[in-house]
Amino acid sequence: TGVQTCALPIYEISTMDKGSEGEIEQFMVLTHPGINKKWVKIARKNGEKCYIVRLSNEIAGLGWVSLVNGVGRLHSLYVKPQYRRIGIGEDILNARLRWLKSNQALSTFTEISRYNIPSSNNVMKVQMKVSGQVFQYFKKDLNKKNEMKNQ
């Protein structure tokens, strides 16, 4: 029997430009419950950068990064399920870390759910360490409003 190989797709990582705001807004609303379309404009206005991978003429994954007073923050990484396990999340992570390094970040943090083992493994590969816990509070009414909006 011959060895079967699967060619990985070729993709580029780009950053958000003004023309892609609408597409990113739609992606964020679908993948991050509770985020509204205004969030993208505000994040961009506040200097946040969004790194994007497109495959088959759609956003396959993206992740945000910010830098304030020398402290970098990586957040909101999401790769669509059909595009997982081919390195997109890891590549977006590394692109954001390179941007932080080139902008003289002194340290970097990220929040990852304890249940998100793939993302935890990726950040550990780049020498990030667990340094605490994140506590979250949701008003009960807020969850119900978001459920009703998504129906």
Side-chain angles (χ1 to χ4, degrees):
T1 60
V3 176
Q4 288 187 329
T5 59
C6 180
L8 294 176
I10 296 172
Y11 54 84
E12 291 183 6
I13 299 174
S14 60
T15 55
M16 176 176 72
D17 57 27
K18 187 120 175 103
S20 59
E21 264 185 24
E23 183 183 15
I24 292 169
E25 286 171 357
Q26 289 176 342
F27 185 92
M28 293 297 293
V29 167
L30 292 174
T31 61
H32 292 78
I35 288 182
N36 63 38
K37 291 183 178 186
K38 292 179 186 176
W39 185 90
V40 173
K41 284 183 177 58
I42 293 167
R44 182 180 160 117
K45 182 179 175 183
N46 288 334
E48 302 223 11
K49 294 189 108 18
C50 180
Y51 282 80
I52 309 157
V53 168
R54 284 189 175 79
L55 283 170
S56 304
N57 295 320
E58 68 173 331
I59 295 176
L62 60 71
W64 290 81
V65 60
S66 60
L67 179 61
V68 177
N69 296 328
V71 178
R73 177 177 178 238
L74 307 174
H75 65 93
S76 304
L77 174 67
Y78 187 86
V79 177
K80 287 183 176 177
Q82 65 268 35
Y83 298 117
R84 293 180 183 166
R85 302 187 195 279
I86 59 173
I88 291 173
E90 195 170 351
D91 288 343
I92 294 171
L93 168 66
N94 287 317
R96 294 179 297 162
L97 288 171
R98 278 192 302 276
W99 181 83
L100 286 168
K101 185 177 181 179
S102 71
N103 285 279
Q104 288 77 46
L106 303 172
S107 65
T108 301
F109 72 95
T110 187
E111 307 96 7
I112 299 172
S113 165
R114 74 177 113 203
Y115 306 108
N116 190 338
I117 304 304
S119 288
S120 295
N121 288 340
N122 282 342
V123 297
M124 286 190 279
K125 284 180 194 175
V126 296
Q127 308 305 309
M128 293 183 85
K129 307 283 186 234
V130 175
S131 65
Q133 294 179 325
V134 176
F135 296 89
Q136 196 169 19
Y137 170 78
F138 288 106
K139 288 184 177 180
K140 290 179 183 177
D141 294 342
L142 179 63
N143 287 332
K144 287 181 184 178
K145 285 179 187 176
N146 285 334
E147 286 174 12
M148 292 173 75
K149 276 185 184 177
N150 293 330
Q151 291 178 352

